[in-house]
Amino acid sequence: MTYSPATPTGTPPGTDDEESSVPASVLAFNASDPSGAGGLAADIAAVASVGGHALPVVTGAYARDTAEIFDHFPLDDEAVAEQARAVLEDLAVQVIKVGFVGSPETLGTIAEIASDYADVPLVAYMPDLSWWGEDQLDQYLDAFRELMLPQTTVLVGNHSTLWRWLLPDWTHDRSPTARDIARAAGEQGVPYTLVTGIPLPEQFVENVLASPQAVLVTAKFELFDATFTGAGDTLSAALAALLAAGSDLGEATAEALAYLDRCLDAGFRPGMGHIVPDRMFWAQPDAEGGEEEADDLPATDGFVMPPHDTKH
């Protein structure tokens, strides 16, 4: 699948066809990630990469690097509500995306907002929260189950994460299938669940979109020999943007999974921790064309960056 940067189509702003040239908007609730690996940084880049317009609502901030999360500082739920309401009163939102929002109170606030816009699909991503304190984690997961899942159109999460959360009393010898997990989510009102990272033999994983009644989309990928940070936010944000642009759920899921695979294949290690998906891999110059383009640039020999002196 080939990706290219989104370019405006249609007629210039100010004409009757202006709306046709406006990218679809995704209202994204997530925490700020200073490492750029996940959170709102992943949402913004992934949504833009597949041609959407991200409306990022800050729900809190991580203290983290590319290897681990040290802490999280939630924003007051009223501050989250004020951000979202201001945007919703001004822009048409096609899809809502919810990542990690930090507190049961904020989950309640977002659920209330989502219920006021019941016709807008909601994509919810449940990350691995094993880094969090047990009491905080249990309260958050309970609130997510009771408040957010009834508002959710598509739930996205890793197989092991969703298994531990939605099927904690699983006693069968076999692992739960995507449909087993989708049934558990369906009991809370979720019509569709995208289960990622289902282990397969010979270093492959399967990603499955399922409803409580049937498997809808399956995609098999070779497992990368690397540890990534930010893959889940990337996938769920891309899915939200593709749905916002008008793709049906099956098509959007297949394209979002293919996009993530390309992001991981082009992933890079910006620090000493894990690899970060390259969400703008299509914007990188080709190896063959890079030298030719460089030859056309003016010479910069002797150019020295000035020191970053304080001006106070």
Side-chain angles (χ1 to χ4, degrees):
M1 188 173 298
T2 302
Y3 288 87
S4 59
T7 55
T9 59
T11 52
T15 67
D16 293 337
D17 294 330
E18 179 180 354
E19 291 186 2
S20 66
S21 65
V22 176
S25 294
V26 176
L27 183 65
F29 295 91
N30 215 335
S32 174
D33 179 353
S35 75
L40 281 177
D43 289 342
I44 295 168
V47 169
S49 185
V50 299
H53 176 56
L55 309 174
V57 176
V58 182
T59 61
Y62 290 109
R64 66 158 305 160
D65 56 22
T66 57
E68 62 180 309
I69 298 171
F70 304 106
D71 206 345
H72 175 267
F73 307 97
L75 201 60
D76 183 83
D77 61 296
E78 292 185 6
V80 174
E82 288 293 328
Q83 293 178 74
R85 295 289 186 187
V87 169
L88 287 163
E89 290 176 7
D90 178 43
L91 295 91
V93 172
Q94 281 71 45
V95 172
I96 298 171
K97 188 260 181 178
V98 178
F100 178 60
V101 302
S103 72
E105 293 77 15
T106 298
L107 284 172
T109 294
I110 296 172
E112 182 179 350
I113 292 171
S115 67
D116 291 342
Y117 294 84
D119 293 336
V120 179
L122 189 150
V123 176
Y125 168 56
M126 176 54 68
D128 177 9
L129 299 175
S130 57
W131 56 270
W132 217 8
E134 186 173 348
D135 291 342
Q136 293 172 300
L137 174 59
D138 290 342
Q139 293 177 23
Y140 186 83
L141 293 179
D142 289 345
F144 207 106
R145 182 186 294 107
E146 296 172 10
L147 302 173
M148 192 55 58
L149 289 188
Q151 309 291 338
T152 297
T153 309
V154 185
L155 173 65
V156 182
N158 182 268
H159 179 259
S160 62
T161 298
L162 296 181
W163 174 1
R164 292 194 305 268
W165 175 35
L166 298 175
L167 294 169
D169 300 323
W170 184 262
T171 57
H172 299 277
D173 293 336
R174 64 172 178 84
S175 300
T177 65
R179 274 196 65 195
D180 292 325
I181 293 173
R183 288 192 196 100
E187 292 176 359
Q188 307 299 324
V190 180
Y192 304 103
T193 302
L194 176 54
V195 184
T196 66
I198 303 172
L200 293 176
E202 299 179 358
Q203 293 297 304
F204 283 88
V205 293
E206 188 175 32
N207 305 298
V208 178
L209 175 70
S211 70
Q213 295 77 31
V215 170
L216 306 175
V217 176
T218 63
K220 177 182 175 182
F221 294 97
E222 186 172 0
L223 187 64
F224 288 96
D225 186 18
T227 302
F228 291 90
T229 297
D233 273 321
T234 302
L235 173 62
S236 51
L239 175 61
L242 291 164
L243 291 172
S247 298
D248 65 56
L249 180 57
E251 178 185 12
T253 299
E255 186 168 354
L257 288 168
Y259 167 74
L260 175 64
D261 188 56
R262 292 290 303 277
C263 292
L264 299 183
D265 187 49
F268 59 96
R269 180 178 282 111
M272 296 182 290
H274 300 156
I275 295 177
V276 175
D278 186 354
R279 303 165 188 111
M280 296 289 183
F281 61 84
W282 48 262
Q284 301 299 329
D286 294 335
E288 296 179 357
E291 293 183 2
E292 296 178 1
E293 295 175 4
D295 291 339
D296 297 333
L297 296 175
T300 56
D301 293 342
F303 179 81
V304 178
M305 288 293 291
H308 185 64
D309 294 330
T310 178
K311 304 300 181 184
H312 298 303

